[in-house]
Amino acid sequence: MNESKRVEIAWPGLDITVRADLDQRNAALAQCLWDALPYRSLQGHALVAGYHLYHLAPSHSLLYTSAEYRVDRRTVPDGTLFCSRLQHLGIKYGELTEPMMATPIGQVLEEDLPALVRAGREVWDSVYTTKKPIVAEVRRAGEPSGHRVPRLPISDPLLNELVGEVHAETERIWLDPPQELVDLHQGRIRSGAGSYETVLTTLLFVNGETRPLGYSCYGGLVRAALDGMPMPWLRQMTRQLAHTPAEFLGYCGLDTLWGFTQRLLDGLDRIDSQEDYISVMAHMALYCNCLGGWNLHLFPWEAGDHLRRETVPV
């Protein structure tokens, strides 16, 4: 990526747009983002690390593209853009406390930093309090907005049908919350999950299982395949890593996820090529990561508003 690439990140509901230039620090990751443009995504906010925005980018290649340069994200300027193997586009807009090594790809223009801070505060209020979704639009500067979720080909007909359904469901819930999660967060749980009729504990466990299913299980399996893990081992690892959390999430109300998982596990022996395996797992990763994003948005974080961090002497 030799030429300058400028992007616009807009939050139409807030009437805020910032501009950013992609750079050469991690040119391959920046190219992944550039190739995915334009798109729209549910805007999220860091819940632990500090003043940081992130959202899911519809790019399968972010799962495995190698980074050339890493930095402690606490040390870089406000307005730094990051891409990660969690399929996130992140933007630092203030102090961060988590000592995480991250992969920068660009920088918001200096004159747009005040607007970025305003957007960050509004998004925090959306995630923590109001629950009114805020959508981010990311596009090449001067070009129209738009959106698509890429579809990867699968040679096996039955698995291709499954991936088609996973892709369609991912598109359907990309900007609209899945009804299964809405029901769960409103206490409509057909299985009766939740001891003594409590809902908060079930929500906590659902969030704790969904995120690593996408981030670690399916994302990790894609990288394992690309690293050359033999197909018999990949099949075995898939069965070991995916079944239990997906079954539990199905019990909690995520029937669609559990149904997809059962069909995937039933069809594993039909996958003969690394390419098909990677495509199937990449679609499952993006779908689970989308569910995870909605979980984080819908979760009633204000329930713990009385719990506030105390200053600890150094």
Side-chain angles (χ1 to χ4, degrees):
M1 191 180 70
N2 297 319
E3 72 277 14
S4 174
K5 287 181 165 61
R6 177 164 291 183
V7 300
E8 295 170 340
I9 306 167
W11 299 273
L14 305 177
D15 194 26
I16 295 175
T17 301
V18 301
R19 298 160 295 166
D21 289 327
L22 306 185
D23 56 44
Q24 295 294 308
R25 285 175 290 181
N26 284 293
L29 285 174
Q31 189 66 48
C32 291
L33 180 72
W34 186 257
D35 291 342
L37 302 179
Y39 68 80
R40 300 183 178 93
S41 190
L42 173 70
Q43 182 63 65
H45 193 291
L47 291 154
V48 178
Y51 298 94
H52 188 72
L53 295 169
Y54 69 92
H55 62 247
L56 192 60
S59 170
H60 298 297
S61 58
L62 284 177
L63 288 168
Y64 55 80
T65 299
S66 297
E68 300 170 2
Y69 175 72
R70 298 179 184 275
V71 63
D72 184 335
R73 62 180 182 175
R74 298 174 300 176
T75 66
V76 295
D78 293 350
T80 299
L81 270 61
F82 307 91
C83 274
S84 78
R85 287 184 169 183
L86 306 183
Q87 298 180 290
H88 288 162
L89 172 63
I91 317 174
K92 178 186 178 185
Y93 73 92
E95 181 186 12
L96 295 177
T97 55
E98 185 180 9
M100 175 181 286
M101 300 303 291
T103 49
I105 64 161
Q107 179 68 38
V108 172
L109 272 59
E110 183 75 24
E111 58 265 36
D112 289 350
L113 290 179
L116 175 63
V117 171
R118 293 200 309 273
R121 290 171 177 165
E122 292 283 351
V123 173
W124 173 255
D125 191 45
S126 163
V127 172
Y128 190 77
T129 304
T130 71
K131 301 303 174 186
K132 181 179 179 181
I134 293 175
V135 172
E137 292 187 353
V138 189
R139 56 184 178 256
R140 299 177 185 181
E143 296 189 11
S145 300
H147 179 68
R148 66 182 181 89
V149 176
R151 166 73 154 87
L152 300 174
I154 312 291
S155 60
D156 180 81
L158 286 180
L159 288 170
N160 188 57
E161 180 181 355
L162 170 62
V163 165
E165 293 180 33
V166 173
H167 175 261
E169 180 67 6
T170 305
E171 284 194 315
R172 191 181 70 80
I173 68 171
W174 192 264
L175 297 177
D176 294 297
Q179 189 59 48
E180 291 168 327
L181 280 180
V182 172
D183 288 342
L184 176 60
H185 282 79
Q186 294 179 354
R188 295 188 292 269
I189 309 173
R190 287 183 299 172
S191 67
S195 302
Y196 283 86
E197 292 77 47
T198 186
V199 174
L200 186 62
T201 50
T202 305
L203 298 181
L204 181 65
F205 276 76
V206 165
N207 184 60
E209 293 287 356
T210 306
R211 296 177 70 228
L213 185 60
Y215 294 171
S216 301
C217 172
Y218 287 117
L221 289 170
V222 168
R223 293 188 288 275
L226 284 164
D227 286 343
M229 181 178 284
M231 188 59 65
W233 296 3
L234 288 170
R235 295 192 190 101
Q236 180 66 10
M237 289 302 298
T238 306
R239 293 186 176 100
Q240 291 291 333
L241 294 175
H243 181 277
T244 299
E247 183 179 40
F248 172 78
L249 291 168
Y251 154 67
C252 292
L254 299 186
D255 294 326
T256 304
L257 170 62
W258 177 225
F260 286 157
T261 306
Q262 289 175 292
R263 291 167 61 188
L264 167 64
L265 297 178
D266 288 344
L268 273 179
D269 290 334
R270 301 176 64 92
I271 303 178
D272 294 320
S273 71
Q274 303 284 106
E275 292 78 10
D276 275 2
Y277 181 88
I278 290 166
S279 295
V280 174
M281 300 306 153
H283 274 283
M284 290 298 294
L286 191 62
Y287 171 59
C288 290
N289 289 339
C290 188
L291 288 175
W294 278 113
N295 257 323
L296 290 172
H297 179 78
L298 294 170
F299 194 90
W301 303 109
E302 274 197 316
D305 199 49
H306 62 291
L307 300 171
R308 290 287 167 172
R309 186 179 67 229
E310 294 185 4
T311 302
V312 179
V314 178

